[in-house]
Amino acid sequence: MSVNEPQDNPDGYVGLDAAHAERLARERGWSTVRALAPGTIITMEYRFGRMNFEVRDGRVVRAWKG
């Protein structure tokens, strides 16, 4: 794994098809990519190298690191 996280803006994933967004994030170097349904209860710890997507109707509506 690289020492630095990918230099990537999570906002760039919003509006994309979820499967395409996941492929793109992995190509850009994110080691972990997870898709979550709106309202999913998650812990808020920061995980280096993880990109999170909130997905509604197959599209990314929110994206954030950690």
Side-chain angles (χ1 to χ4, degrees):
M1 183 163 88
S2 123
V3 175
N4 299 311
E5 287 185 320
Q7 296 300 304
D8 195 13
N9 185 345
D11 292 339
Y13 294 97
V14 175
L16 297 179
D17 172 79
H20 175 69
E22 182 175 345
R23 278 192 311 276
L24 190 58
R26 291 187 188 285
E27 288 171 6
R28 291 179 176 172
W30 294 99
S31 57
T32 303
V33 180
R34 69 176 176 174
L36 306 162
T40 300
I41 297 172
I42 59 171
T43 59
M44 295 307 294
E45 82 280 359
Y46 189 90
R47 296 283 178 148
F48 182 85
R50 180 170 64 190
M51 178 63 73
N52 300 284
F53 297 136
E54 183 176 321
V55 177
R56 182 179 300 128
D57 298 327
R59 296 253 171 225
V60 176
V61 295
R62 180 176 165 235
W64 68 99
K65 298 177 183 181

